[in-house]
Amino acid sequence: MAGGLLTALAYPLVRGWIGHLGPSLRSVVRLLYAATAPLAALLSVAIVSHPTIADLLVAAHCHGSQCTAHAPVYAANSSLLFAVSLIGSLIVLLLLTTLLWTLRIGQRRLRVLSALAHRSVQGFHTLDSAEELVFCTGLLRPQILLSQGLVDRLQPGELAVVLAHEQAHAERLDNLRAFLLYWLTVFWPGTLRRRAQRDGRADAEQACDLAAARAFSGADQVVSVIRKLSQKSTAIPGGMFGRSVVLDSNDAVARVSVLEDGNKYDEATPGDWCKAFVSLTLGLGMLIYVLAAASHQAIEWLGSFVV
C-alpha cells in the first residue's frame, strides 16, 4: 500500500515525462511503472529477510551487543505485529477473491455475447442490434464483436478501417493490459487511479488508430471514420473484458490530432527505449530502498509491542 501511494503521488511527473513518447511505448512504460510498486514490495520483503543483503539498504543500528547485519528483531508474542499481519492477509485474500469473481463474471458475459452473435462480416461475430457498436472482448484470446447497426451505417472501406483498429486491439492484448493496470493501481488514490486508467485507454486507442493508418497507407480514411462515428455517441461500457470503439467528441479530437501530427508509424527510437529502461530501473531501485529501509524499522517497531 505504501509503495502504491508513493508511485501514485509521483505519477503526474511520470505522466508529463512520457508525454512525448509514441502511444505504443507510452502504454508499455505506463503499465510497467504501475507494476513497480508490487514488484518493489515483494523484493523488499525478500531483501529484509536476508541480513547480508539488507545491510546494504538498512541504516546501521544495534540490538544489545548485536550490531551486525540481521533480519528484523521483534518480540515473539507481539500483539500489534500479529494484528497487522492478520489485517494484511485479509486484505490480500479479499483482493484475490474480488479478482477471481471479476474474472468469473467477465467470462460469463463473454459467453452470453458469443452465444448471441453469429458470423457474417468477414468472419467476425455480429450482433443483431440496431446500435452502432463494435467490441474487442476477452483477455488472452480476444475476439471482435460488432453490431448489425454499425455494418449498415458504414461503407465497406470504412468498416474495414474499424475492423483493422479492433484487430490491433486484439493483437496488442489491450484488454489484458487494461485489466492489469486496473489491479496494479488498486491502492492508488481514486483521482490518480482514474487518470492513469483514462491515459491507458487513450494510449491504446491512439496506438490502434496508427496501426489502422499503417494498414491503409495513410491516416485520411481513419480520420474520416473517427469523425463519422463521433457524430453519434452511443456508449455501452466494455468493462474488464471488452472496450467499445464508439467515442465522444473529445476523444475524437484527441485521436485525430495524433493522426494529423504525422506520427503514422508510432516508432520508438533506441534512445527512447534506453531512456525508459534506465528511468524505470532507477525508479524501481529507489522504491526498493525506501520500502526496505522503512519496512525493517516498521516491523521492529510493531514487533516491540508484547501481549
Side-chain angles (χ1 to χ4, degrees):
M1 294 177 67
L5 180 59
L6 290 174
T7 53
L9 293 177
Y11 177 70
L13 296 176
V14 174
R15 184 175 184 263
W17 172 77
I18 65 177
H20 72 285
L21 300 176
S24 292
L25 178 56
R26 194 166 60 229
S27 65
V28 172
V29 174
R30 200 184 310 278
L31 183 60
L32 291 178
Y33 176 76
T36 55
L39 180 58
L42 291 174
L43 292 176
S44 297
V45 171
I47 289 172
V48 169
S49 303
H50 293 78
T52 303
I53 304 176
D55 188 45
L56 301 174
L57 303 177
V58 178
H61 62 288
C62 300
H63 288 273
S65 60
Q66 183 182 9
C67 294
T68 58
H70 61 82
V73 176
Y74 51 87
N77 298 318
S78 170
S79 57
L80 190 54
L81 184 60
F82 174 78
V84 171
S85 300
L86 179 61
I87 293 172
S89 300
L90 291 175
I91 291 175
V92 172
L93 180 61
L94 177 62
L95 288 175
L96 289 175
T97 302
T98 305
L99 188 150
L100 292 175
W101 183 253
T102 302
L103 288 171
R104 181 180 179 183
I105 292 176
Q107 290 175 341
R108 185 180 300 172
R109 290 175 178 175
L110 182 58
R111 285 197 296 269
V112 171
L113 284 173
S114 298
L116 294 174
H118 57 86
R119 289 182 177 272
S120 63
V121 178
Q122 301 180 25
F124 293 98
H125 296 276
T126 307
L127 296 169
D128 290 325
S129 172
E131 299 291 344
E132 298 165 6
L133 301 169
V134 59
F135 295 96
C136 177
T137 64
L139 293 180
L140 299 178
R141 290 181 295 177
Q143 55 183 295
I144 297 171
L145 294 162
L146 64 161
S147 67
Q148 189 61 46
L150 186 69
V151 175
D152 294 339
R153 183 184 183 193
L154 298 180
Q155 299 296 323
E158 295 172 331
L159 185 61
V161 169
V162 171
L163 293 175
H165 175 101
E166 292 302 302
Q167 187 62 39
H169 278 307
E171 293 173 357
R172 284 167 43 87
L173 297 177
D174 279 330
N175 292 336
L176 179 60
R177 295 190 190 198
F179 183 81
L180 291 174
L181 185 62
Y182 178 89
W183 287 102
L184 289 171
T185 57
V186 69
F187 292 120
W188 287 29
T191 302
L192 293 172
R193 188 186 187 204
R194 288 189 293 271
R195 179 185 295 180
Q197 291 171 16
R198 286 197 302 269
D199 291 341
R201 287 192 293 270
D203 289 342
E205 296 303 326
Q206 293 169 16
C208 292
D209 286 340
L210 292 169
R214 288 195 301 271
F216 287 87
S217 302
D220 293 342
Q221 286 180 279
V222 182
V223 170
S224 175
V225 171
I226 290 175
R227 286 175 172 162
K228 184 173 183 177
L229 290 177
S230 67
Q231 294 172 0
K232 180 180 179 181
S233 178
T234 305
I236 292 182
M240 287 295 166
F241 289 76
R243 57 178 67 237
S244 172
V245 78
V246 179
L247 61 159
D248 60 29
S249 57
N250 292 329
D251 292 330
V253 170
R255 290 169 58 177
V256 168
S257 176
V258 171
L259 288 165
E260 291 182 339
D261 279 343
N263 185 16
K264 297 180 180 179
Y265 301 101
D266 192 18
E267 292 181 345
T269 66
D272 290 335
W273 283 102
C274 182
K275 183 179 178 181
F277 174 78
V278 171
S279 299
L280 287 171
T281 302
L282 290 175
L284 178 62
M286 292 176 62
L287 191 57
I288 290 173
Y289 175 80
V290 172
L291 292 181
S295 62
H296 186 102
Q297 299 299 327
I299 291 172
E300 291 196 337
W301 179 75
L302 292 172
S304 64
F305 292 87
V306 183
V307 178

XYZ file of all heavy atoms in Angstrom, residues 68-163:
735
model
N 25.688 -6.265 13.920
C 25.940 -6.729 12.557
C 24.627 -6.790 11.781
O 23.552 -6.526 12.322
C 26.578 -8.130 12.580
O 25.701 -9.025 13.284
C 27.921 -8.090 13.282
N 24.733 -7.108 10.503
C 23.535 -7.232 9.678
C 22.614 -8.311 10.223
O 23.072 -9.376 10.651
C 23.936 -7.566 8.246
N 21.317 -8.047 10.233
C 20.372 -9.009 10.789
C 18.992 -8.787 10.200
O 18.675 -7.699 9.698
C 20.307 -8.874 12.311
C 19.852 -7.511 12.754
N 18.529 -7.138 12.810
C 20.564 -6.424 13.147
C 18.431 -5.895 13.211
N 19.644 -5.426 13.426
N 18.175 -9.815 10.260
C 16.771 -9.679 9.903
C 16.066 -8.922 11.026
O 16.620 -8.763 12.110
C 16.149 -11.065 9.716
N 14.860 -8.415 10.800
C 14.163 -7.677 11.858
C 14.048 -8.482 13.148
O 13.777 -9.690 13.129
C 12.786 -7.407 11.246
C 13.035 -7.397 9.783
C 14.092 -8.420 9.544
N 14.272 -7.822 14.277
C 14.191 -8.446 15.598
C 12.932 -7.944 16.281
O 12.697 -6.735 16.368
C 15.432 -8.097 16.449
C 15.289 -8.676 17.853
C 16.690 -8.616 15.775
N 12.104 -8.857 16.760
C 10.870 -8.458 17.433
C 10.506 -9.489 18.484
O 10.977 -10.634 18.463
C 9.724 -8.287 16.435
C 9.531 -9.463 15.503
C 8.736 -10.542 15.855
C 10.172 -9.488 14.267
C 8.566 -11.613 15.003
C 10.002 -10.567 13.401
C 9.204 -11.614 13.785
O 9.044 -12.676 12.923
N 9.640 -9.066 19.402
C 9.206 -9.952 20.479
C 8.360 -11.087 19.914
O 7.559 -10.891 18.996
C 8.398 -9.165 21.507
N 8.527 -12.258 20.484
C 7.836 -13.433 19.961
C 6.322 -13.341 20.101
O 5.583 -13.916 19.309
C 8.341 -14.690 20.675
N 5.831 -12.613 21.105
C 4.398 -12.514 21.359
C 3.863 -11.120 21.068
O 3.042 -10.579 21.810
C 4.091 -12.901 22.815
C 4.476 -14.330 23.123
O 4.244 -15.220 22.312
N 5.070 -14.557 24.281
N 4.329 -10.529 20.008
C 3.912 -9.170 19.676
C 2.461 -9.161 19.201
O 2.122 -9.734 18.165
C 4.809 -8.594 18.587
O 4.279 -7.388 18.121
N 1.596 -8.495 19.965
C 0.174 -8.440 19.622
C -0.078 -7.541 18.417
O -0.882 -7.864 17.544
C -0.631 -7.949 20.828
O -0.150 -6.685 21.252
N 0.615 -6.390 18.350
C 0.379 -5.452 17.267
C 0.864 -5.999 15.929
O 0.201 -5.851 14.901
C 1.061 -4.119 17.571
C 0.707 -2.946 16.649
C -0.796 -2.740 16.588
C 1.406 -1.676 17.105
N 2.038 -6.656 15.937
C 2.551 -7.242 14.706
C 1.623 -8.344 14.210
O 1.367 -8.469 13.014
C 3.959 -7.792 14.931
C 4.664 -8.353 13.697
C 4.818 -7.267 12.633
C 6.022 -8.931 14.064
N 1.086 -9.130 15.137
C 0.145 -10.185 14.761
C -1.114 -9.587 14.146
O -1.622 -10.070 13.123
C -0.222 -11.024 15.987
C -1.295 -12.050 15.710
C -0.999 -13.232 15.060
C -2.614 -11.801 16.094
C -1.998 -14.168 14.794
C -3.612 -12.718 15.837
C -3.304 -13.905 15.183
N -1.616 -8.509 14.755
C -2.832 -7.873 14.245
C -2.605 -7.293 12.853
O -3.447 -7.452 11.953
C -3.288 -6.781 15.206
N -1.470 -6.618 12.651
C -1.171 -6.038 11.343
C -1.020 -7.145 10.293
O -1.499 -7.016 9.162
C 0.096 -5.179 11.414
C 0.549 -4.755 10.021
C -0.144 -3.948 12.284
N -0.351 -8.237 10.657
C -0.180 -9.355 9.723
C -1.524 -9.971 9.355
O -1.763 -10.316 8.193
C 0.723 -10.423 10.348
O 1.991 -9.898 10.640
N -2.411 -10.083 10.335
C -3.739 -10.647 10.078
C -4.540 -9.748 9.145
O -5.160 -10.227 8.181
C -4.484 -10.840 11.398
C -5.919 -11.398 11.294
C -5.897 -12.776 10.649
C -6.568 -11.439 12.672
N -4.507 -8.440 9.414
C -5.238 -7.499 8.559
C -4.681 -7.523 7.139
O -5.433 -7.523 6.161
C -5.161 -6.076 9.153
C -5.939 -6.015 10.469
C -5.717 -5.048 8.164
C -5.763 -4.712 11.211
N -3.347 -7.551 7.030
C -2.728 -7.615 5.701
C -3.133 -8.865 4.940
O -3.419 -8.810 3.738
N -3.170 -9.989 5.633
C -3.568 -11.251 4.997
C -5.023 -11.200 4.535
O -5.360 -11.695 3.443
C -3.367 -12.414 5.970
O -2.013 -12.525 6.353
N -5.893 -10.597 5.348
C -7.304 -10.486 4.977
C -7.485 -9.582 3.755
O -8.325 -9.851 2.891
C -8.115 -9.946 6.163
C -8.261 -10.896 7.353
C -8.988 -10.195 8.497
C -9.000 -12.166 6.950
N -6.691 -8.508 3.686
C -6.771 -7.606 2.521
C -6.360 -8.342 1.249
O -7.014 -8.231 0.212
C -5.889 -6.369 2.750
C -6.484 -5.480 3.849
C -5.742 -5.567 1.455
C -5.605 -4.307 4.217
N -5.257 -9.099 1.339
C -4.793 -9.871 0.177
C -5.843 -10.901 -0.235
O -6.139 -11.072 -1.433
C -3.457 -10.562 0.492
C -3.079 -11.528 -0.632
C -2.356 -9.527 0.693
N -6.439 -11.578 0.752
C -7.473 -12.567 0.453
C -8.682 -11.918 -0.206
O -9.252 -12.460 -1.167
C -7.893 -13.274 1.741
C -8.978 -14.355 1.606
C -8.502 -15.478 0.690
C -9.343 -14.913 2.982
N -9.073 -10.738 0.284
C -10.205 -10.028 -0.300
C -9.923 -9.628 -1.740
O -10.783 -9.766 -2.620
C -10.517 -8.791 0.543
C -11.650 -7.884 0.024
C -12.967 -8.651 -0.017
C -11.787 -6.647 0.903
N -8.708 -9.134 -1.996
C -8.346 -8.738 -3.357
C -8.361 -9.934 -4.300
O -8.862 -9.839 -5.429
C -6.968 -8.079 -3.362
C -6.874 -6.672 -2.751
C -5.426 -6.208 -2.719
C -7.731 -5.697 -3.540
N -7.803 -11.050 -3.861
C -7.783 -12.247 -4.705
C -9.198 -12.748 -4.984
O -9.521 -13.143 -6.109
C -6.954 -13.347 -4.033
C -5.447 -13.123 -3.998
C -4.766 -14.234 -3.198
C -4.861 -13.061 -5.408
N -10.049 -12.718 -3.946
C -11.427 -13.159 -4.125
C -12.167 -12.262 -5.112
O -12.891 -12.732 -6.000
C -12.169 -13.157 -2.774
O -11.481 -14.001 -1.850
C -13.594 -13.655 -2.937
N -11.976 -10.945 -4.976
C -12.614 -9.994 -5.886
C -12.117 -10.182 -7.317
O -12.891 -10.121 -8.278
C -12.339 -8.553 -5.425
O -12.752 -8.392 -4.070
C -13.085 -7.553 -6.295
N -10.807 -10.401 -7.465
C -10.234 -10.607 -8.795
C -10.829 -11.849 -9.452
O -11.230 -11.818 -10.629
C -8.716 -10.726 -8.679
C -7.911 -10.768 -9.987
C -6.534 -10.159 -9.772
C -7.738 -12.206 -10.474
N -10.908 -12.957 -8.699
C -11.461 -14.191 -9.256
C -12.940 -14.028 -9.599
O -13.410 -14.539 -10.624
C -11.267 -15.342 -8.263
C -9.820 -15.781 -8.036
C -9.753 -16.828 -6.939
C -9.208 -16.329 -9.319
N -13.662 -13.289 -8.749
C -15.080 -13.054 -9.021
C -15.259 -12.213 -10.277
O -16.163 -12.459 -11.086
C -15.719 -12.378 -7.818
C -17.195 -12.149 -7.967
C -17.848 -10.977 -8.190
C -18.221 -13.158 -7.904
N -19.199 -11.170 -8.284
C -19.461 -12.494 -8.107
C -18.215 -14.536 -7.703
C -20.669 -13.187 -8.104
C -19.425 -15.220 -7.704
C -20.617 -14.540 -7.904
N -14.399 -11.211 -10.456
C -14.451 -10.376 -11.648
C -14.182 -11.204 -12.894
O -14.851 -11.039 -13.920
C -13.414 -9.239 -11.547
O -13.656 -8.463 -10.378
C -13.473 -8.335 -12.767
N -13.196 -12.086 -12.820
C -12.903 -12.960 -13.951
C -14.093 -13.856 -14.286
O -14.435 -14.040 -15.462
C -11.679 -13.821 -13.641
C -10.318 -13.117 -13.636
C -9.244 -14.058 -13.103
C -9.952 -12.635 -15.035
N -14.749 -14.368 -13.250
C -15.892 -15.255 -13.477
C -17.047 -14.507 -14.143
O -17.656 -15.011 -15.107
C -16.363 -15.849 -12.141
C -17.533 -16.809 -12.277
C -17.944 -17.368 -10.939
N -19.080 -18.271 -11.065
C -19.692 -18.862 -10.045
N -19.235 -18.646 -8.812
N -20.720 -19.655 -10.245
N -17.345 -13.300 -13.663
C -18.418 -12.509 -14.247
C -18.090 -12.149 -15.698
O -18.950 -12.222 -16.586
C -18.654 -11.231 -13.422
C -19.229 -11.599 -12.048
C -19.601 -10.274 -14.157
C -19.406 -10.416 -11.127
N -16.836 -11.759 -15.940
C -16.432 -11.403 -17.290
C -16.550 -12.569 -18.247
O -17.008 -12.399 -19.391
N -16.147 -13.745 -17.817
C -16.256 -14.925 -18.673
C -17.713 -15.269 -18.964
O -18.063 -15.673 -20.082
C -15.548 -16.100 -18.010
C -14.035 -15.967 -17.982
C -13.362 -17.093 -17.218
O -13.995 -17.781 -16.418
N -12.076 -17.264 -17.449
N -18.559 -15.068 -17.959
C -19.979 -15.360 -18.154
C -20.585 -14.406 -19.183
O -21.351 -14.823 -20.064
C -20.713 -15.221 -16.809
C -22.188 -15.604 -16.844
C -22.810 -15.437 -15.473
N -22.137 -16.274 -14.491
C -22.378 -16.203 -13.177
N -23.250 -15.317 -12.710
N -21.751 -17.001 -12.352
N -20.252 -13.125 -19.080
C -20.765 -12.143 -20.042
C -20.246 -12.423 -21.450
O -20.973 -12.271 -22.436
C -20.360 -10.737 -19.607
C -21.068 -10.242 -18.355
C -20.541 -8.894 -17.919
N -21.253 -8.393 -16.760
C -20.931 -7.284 -16.106
N -19.889 -6.562 -16.520
N -21.621 -6.886 -15.061
N -18.982 -12.838 -21.518
C -18.407 -13.135 -22.824
C -19.105 -14.323 -23.475
O -19.353 -14.329 -24.681
C -16.901 -13.418 -22.668
C -16.119 -13.698 -23.944
C -16.249 -12.539 -24.920
C -14.651 -13.946 -23.614
N -19.449 -15.331 -22.672
C -20.168 -16.497 -23.214
C -21.552 -16.099 -23.732
O -22.001 -16.588 -24.768
C -20.288 -17.581 -22.137
C -18.996 -18.349 -21.880
C -19.282 -19.647 -21.137
N -19.833 -19.389 -19.818
C -19.103 -19.264 -18.713
N -17.781 -19.370 -18.787
N -19.674 -19.048 -17.548
N -22.206 -15.193 -22.995
C -23.531 -14.741 -23.430
C -23.435 -13.991 -24.753
O -24.222 -14.218 -25.685
C -24.172 -13.852 -22.342
C -25.453 -13.207 -22.872
C -24.481 -14.675 -21.102
N -22.463 -13.076 -24.865
C -22.290 -12.319 -26.103
C -21.962 -13.247 -27.271
O -22.480 -13.077 -28.374
C -21.178 -11.285 -25.933
C -21.517 -10.032 -25.133
C -20.264 -9.187 -24.919
C -22.587 -9.206 -25.845
N -21.099 -14.215 -27.024
C -20.720 -15.159 -28.081
C -21.915 -15.979 -28.534
O -22.060 -16.300 -29.723
C -19.594 -16.068 -27.592
O -18.443 -15.319 -27.274
N -22.791 -16.336 -27.578
C -23.971 -17.126 -27.924
C -24.961 -16.317 -28.760
O -25.665 -16.861 -29.624
C -24.652 -17.632 -26.656
N -25.030 -14.999 -28.523
C -25.965 -14.144 -29.251
C -25.444 -13.753 -30.629
O -26.219 -13.324 -31.497
C -26.260 -12.871 -28.445
C -27.017 -13.060 -27.126
C -27.098 -11.736 -26.375
C -28.412 -13.633 -27.373
N -24.138 -13.859 -30.828
C -23.534 -13.405 -32.079
C -23.524 -14.514 -33.121
O -23.623 -15.700 -32.810
C -22.114 -12.922 -31.821
N -23.390 -14.113 -34.370
C -23.253 -15.066 -35.469
C -22.213 -14.527 -36.435
O -21.972 -13.322 -36.522
C -24.585 -15.284 -36.184
C -25.194 -14.017 -36.734
N -24.876 -13.518 -37.974
C -26.074 -13.143 -36.185
C -25.551 -12.398 -38.185
N -26.277 -12.139 -37.117
N -21.569 -15.410 -37.175
C -20.520 -14.998 -38.107
C -21.147 -14.564 -39.431
O -21.877 -15.311 -40.048
C -19.538 -16.145 -38.355
C -18.652 -16.465 -37.172
C -17.668 -17.567 -37.508
N -16.765 -17.846 -36.405
C -15.615 -17.221 -36.211
N -15.231 -16.291 -37.069
N -14.837 -17.522 -35.192
N -20.820 -13.308 -39.835
C -21.369 -12.861 -41.119
C -20.468 -11.852 -41.818
O -20.465 -11.792 -43.036
C -22.755 -12.239 -40.923
O -22.676 -11.081 -40.125
N -19.735 -11.042 -41.068
C -18.923 -9.991 -41.669
C -17.457 -10.399 -41.631
O -16.814 -10.351 -40.586
C -19.126 -8.648 -40.935
C -18.241 -7.572 -41.544
C -20.584 -8.239 -40.989
N -16.922 -10.814 -42.776
C -15.515 -11.168 -42.896
C -15.066 -12.141 -41.795
O -13.949 -12.095 -41.309
C -14.659 -9.903 -42.847
C -14.973 -8.905 -43.947
C -14.115 -7.660 -43.869
O -13.000 -7.699 -43.324
N -14.593 -6.554 -44.401
N -15.991 -13.011 -41.382
C -15.656 -13.986 -40.366
C -15.751 -13.482 -38.948
O -15.514 -14.250 -38.010
N -16.107 -12.207 -38.737
C -16.232 -11.659 -37.403
C -17.634 -11.913 -36.859
O -18.593 -12.080 -37.598
C -15.941 -10.152 -37.410
C -14.508 -9.822 -37.742
C -14.145 -9.456 -39.032
C -13.525 -9.877 -36.771
C -12.833 -9.154 -39.345
C -12.206 -9.579 -37.076
C -11.858 -9.220 -38.357
N -17.748 -11.888 -35.531
C -19.035 -12.129 -34.888
C -19.889 -10.868 -34.937
O -19.429 -9.784 -34.581
C -18.826 -12.555 -33.435
C -18.104 -13.856 -33.292
N -18.738 -15.076 -33.364
C -16.797 -14.132 -33.089
C -17.853 -16.049 -33.211
N -16.668 -15.498 -33.051
N -21.151 -11.029 -35.342
C -22.065 -9.901 -35.492
C -23.269 -10.075 -34.571
O -23.832 -11.165 -34.471
C -22.560 -9.792 -36.946
O -21.435 -9.762 -37.834
C -23.389 -8.529 -37.143
N -23.639 -8.970 -33.892
C -24.798 -8.965 -33.021
C -25.980 -8.342 -33.747
O -25.828 -7.335 -34.445
C -24.502 -8.157 -31.743
C -23.414 -8.703 -30.827
C -23.062 -7.669 -29.763
C -23.867 -9.996 -30.174
N -27.161 -8.919 -33.573
C -28.375 -8.369 -34.178
C -28.873 -7.207 -33.327
O -29.797 -7.335 -32.522
C -29.456 -9.450 -34.290
C -29.099 -10.497 -35.320
O -28.482 -10.123 -36.340
O -29.414 -11.675 -35.100
N -28.214 -6.059 -33.487
C -28.576 -4.863 -32.737
C -28.537 -3.661 -33.670
O -27.651 -3.551 -34.526
C -27.604 -4.644 -31.571
O -27.826 -3.389 -30.949
N -29.499 -2.746 -33.473
C -29.541 -1.532 -34.291
C -28.528 -0.495 -33.812
O -28.237 0.463 -34.526
C -30.942 -0.936 -34.257
N -27.983 -0.661 -32.599
C -26.974 0.267 -32.089
C -25.684 0.112 -32.889
O -25.377 -0.971 -33.410
C -26.693 -0.010 -30.610
C -27.893 0.167 -29.711
C -28.321 1.613 -29.581
O -27.518 2.495 -29.943
O -29.447 1.861 -29.131
N -24.931 1.213 -32.964
C -23.676 1.190 -33.726
C -22.525 0.914 -32.776
O -21.969 1.814 -32.161
C -23.498 2.533 -34.445
C -24.615 2.781 -35.455
C -24.677 4.221 -35.913
O -23.779 5.002 -35.529
O -25.612 4.569 -36.653
N -22.191 -0.372 -32.648
C -21.215 -0.797 -31.650
C -20.199 -1.759 -32.249
O -20.504 -2.507 -33.181
C -21.919 -1.497 -30.477
C -22.971 -0.690 -29.705
C -23.742 -1.601 -28.770
C -22.300 0.431 -28.931
N -19.016 -1.747 -31.678
C -18.006 -2.751 -32.004
C -17.139 -2.938 -30.772
O -16.808 -1.984 -30.081
C -17.166 -2.341 -33.233
C -16.446 -1.034 -33.018
C -16.164 -3.444 -33.582
N -16.822 -4.188 -30.470
C -16.060 -4.534 -29.281
C -14.901 -5.453 -29.621
O -15.002 -6.284 -30.532
C -16.927 -5.277 -28.252
C -18.047 -4.475 -27.669
C -19.314 -4.562 -28.204
C -17.826 -3.648 -26.586
C -20.353 -3.839 -27.669
C -18.860 -2.922 -26.036
C -20.123 -3.009 -26.575
N -13.830 -5.309 -28.855
C -12.802 -6.341 -28.792
C -12.916 -6.929 -27.397
O -12.662 -6.246 -26.398
C -11.415 -5.731 -29.023
S -10.077 -6.947 -28.885
N -13.350 -8.165 -27.296
C -13.643 -8.762 -25.999
C -12.685 -9.913 -25.704
O -12.152 -10.557 -26.608
C -15.082 -9.304 -25.959
O -15.209 -10.359 -26.922
C -16.075 -8.214 -26.288
N -12.497 -10.171 -24.426
C -11.632 -11.261 -23.999
C -10.256 -10.771 -23.584
O -9.798 -9.711 -24.023
N -9.601 -11.550 -22.728
C -8.285 -11.182 -22.213
C -7.151 -11.861 -22.983
O -6.329 -11.195 -23.601
C -8.186 -11.537 -20.723
C -9.080 -10.749 -19.762
C -8.864 -11.222 -18.338
C -8.814 -9.258 -19.872
N -7.089 -13.178 -22.935
C -5.980 -13.909 -23.554
C -6.258 -14.279 -25.005
O -5.331 -14.352 -25.816
C -5.678 -15.171 -22.740
C -5.250 -14.928 -21.288
C -5.027 -16.255 -20.568
C -3.983 -14.078 -21.231
N -7.526 -14.513 -25.330
C -7.898 -14.843 -26.711
C -9.028 -13.915 -27.155
O -10.171 -14.324 -27.294
C -8.326 -16.312 -26.805
C -7.181 -17.293 -26.631
C -7.654 -18.726 -26.764
N -8.565 -19.095 -25.695
C -9.175 -20.281 -25.588
N -8.962 -21.193 -26.521
N -9.982 -20.535 -24.589
N -8.697 -12.653 -27.375
C -9.734 -11.671 -27.699
C -10.397 -11.954 -29.040
O -9.782 -12.494 -29.954
C -8.968 -10.340 -27.726
C -7.544 -10.721 -27.979
C -7.350 -12.047 -27.325
N -11.665 -11.589 -29.109
C -12.407 -11.714 -30.354
C -13.171 -10.414 -30.593
O -13.441 -9.655 -29.659
C -13.374 -12.900 -30.312
C -14.341 -12.876 -29.148
C -15.231 -14.100 -29.120
O -16.049 -14.301 -30.017
N -15.072 -14.929 -28.098
N -13.531 -10.184 -31.851
C -14.167 -8.930 -32.228
C -15.651 -9.169 -32.460
O -16.048 -10.076 -33.183
C -13.510 -8.347 -33.491
C -12.032 -8.024 -33.210
C -14.242 -7.094 -33.957
C -11.239 -7.644 -34.435
N -16.474 -8.335 -31.815
C -17.923 -8.378 -31.972
C -18.389 -7.026 -32.493
O -17.980 -5.986 -31.968
C -18.600 -8.658 -30.627
C -18.347 -10.037 -30.000
C -18.684 -10.014 -28.528
C -19.158 -11.098 -30.712
N -19.227 -7.007 -33.485
C -19.771 -5.760 -33.992
C -21.262 -5.915 -34.228
O -21.769 -7.030 -34.378
C -19.071 -5.323 -35.273
C -19.190 -6.181 -36.530
C -18.839 -5.337 -37.752
C -18.219 -7.367 -36.472
N -21.965 -4.796 -34.210
C -23.420 -4.825 -34.353
C -23.821 -4.661 -35.811
O -23.104 -4.079 -36.626
C -24.045 -3.705 -33.514
O -23.702 -2.435 -34.042
N -25.017 -5.151 -36.106
C -25.548 -5.012 -37.464
C -25.808 -3.548 -37.784
O -25.691 -3.118 -38.935
C -26.838 -5.819 -37.598
C -27.352 -5.926 -39.018
C -26.362 -6.610 -39.949
O -25.793 -7.646 -39.604
N -26.143 -6.038 -41.126
N -26.136 -2.751 -36.749
C -26.360 -1.329 -36.969
C -25.125 -0.628 -37.493
O -25.212 0.247 -38.367
N -23.952 -1.006 -36.976
C -22.705 -0.410 -37.454
C -22.402 -0.860 -38.875
O -21.956 -0.068 -39.711
C -21.558 -0.794 -36.521
C -20.213 -0.125 -36.812
C -20.282 1.366 -36.493
C -19.091 -0.778 -36.008
N -22.656 -2.138 -39.156
C -22.424 -2.664 -40.505
C -23.293 -1.934 -41.523
O -22.842 -1.594 -42.622
C -22.711 -4.177 -40.541
C -22.593 -4.710 -41.966
C -21.770 -4.931 -39.613
N -24.544 -1.645 -41.149
C -25.461 -0.975 -42.061
C -25.073 0.480 -42.293
O -25.317 1.025 -43.384
C -26.889 -1.039 -41.510
C -27.430 -2.463 -41.480
O -26.899 -3.305 -42.229
O -28.355 -2.732 -40.685
N -24.478 1.124 -41.300
C -24.180 2.551 -41.441
C -22.909 2.802 -42.232
O -22.817 3.767 -42.994
C -24.052 3.186 -40.053
C -23.807 4.696 -40.143
C -23.579 5.333 -38.803
N -23.417 6.776 -38.956
C -22.967 7.583 -38.022
N -22.637 7.099 -36.849
N -22.845 8.877 -38.253
N -21.896 1.957 -42.050
C -20.590 2.219 -42.647
C -20.469 1.619 -44.050
O -21.050 0.571 -44.350
C -19.481 1.646 -41.754
C -19.364 2.241 -40.344
C -18.217 1.572 -39.585
C -19.150 3.753 -40.399
N -19.693 2.280 -44.881
C -19.327 1.742 -46.185
C -18.310 0.613 -45.991
O -17.638 0.544 -44.947
C -18.731 2.839 -47.055
C -19.678 3.999 -47.333
C -20.896 3.558 -48.129
O -20.814 2.701 -49.012
N -22.058 4.146 -47.803
N -18.180 -0.285 -46.950
C -17.226 -1.392 -46.785
C -15.808 -0.937 -46.433
O -15.153 -1.538 -45.581
C -17.270 -2.087 -48.145
C -18.644 -1.804 -48.659
C -18.964 -0.420 -48.196
N -15.326 0.137 -47.069
C -13.990 0.631 -46.751
C -13.896 1.170 -45.340
O -12.889 0.988 -44.651
N -14.960 1.845 -44.887
C -14.978 2.375 -43.522
C -15.031 1.239 -42.501
O -14.371 1.296 -41.452
C -16.178 3.301 -43.351
C -16.115 4.550 -44.213
C -17.398 5.355 -44.159
O -18.471 4.746 -43.951
O -17.328 6.591 -44.325
N -15.818 0.232 -42.807
C -15.905 -0.917 -41.907
C -14.557 -1.628 -41.812
O -14.154 -2.096 -40.733
C -16.979 -1.884 -42.400
C -17.265 -3.087 -41.495
C -17.752 -2.630 -40.123
C -18.299 -4.007 -42.144
N -13.830 -1.688 -42.906
C -12.502 -2.310 -42.901
C -11.549 -1.553 -41.980
O -10.718 -2.158 -41.296
C -11.944 -2.364 -44.318
N -11.674 -0.220 -41.941
C -10.843 0.584 -41.039
C -11.161 0.244 -39.590
O -10.257 0.056 -38.761
C -11.066 2.091 -41.299
C -10.412 2.934 -40.197
C -10.512 2.481 -42.659
N -12.452 0.164 -39.261
C -12.865 -0.163 -37.892
C -12.349 -1.543 -37.485
O -11.841 -1.737 -36.380
C -14.401 -0.100 -37.768
C -14.851 -0.645 -36.420
C -14.892 1.326 -37.947
N -12.462 -2.500 -38.394
C -12.007 -3.855 -38.074
C -10.486 -3.913 -37.927
O -9.970 -4.652 -37.079
C -12.469 -4.822 -39.166
C -13.982 -5.042 -39.247
C -14.338 -5.922 -40.437
C -14.505 -5.660 -37.953
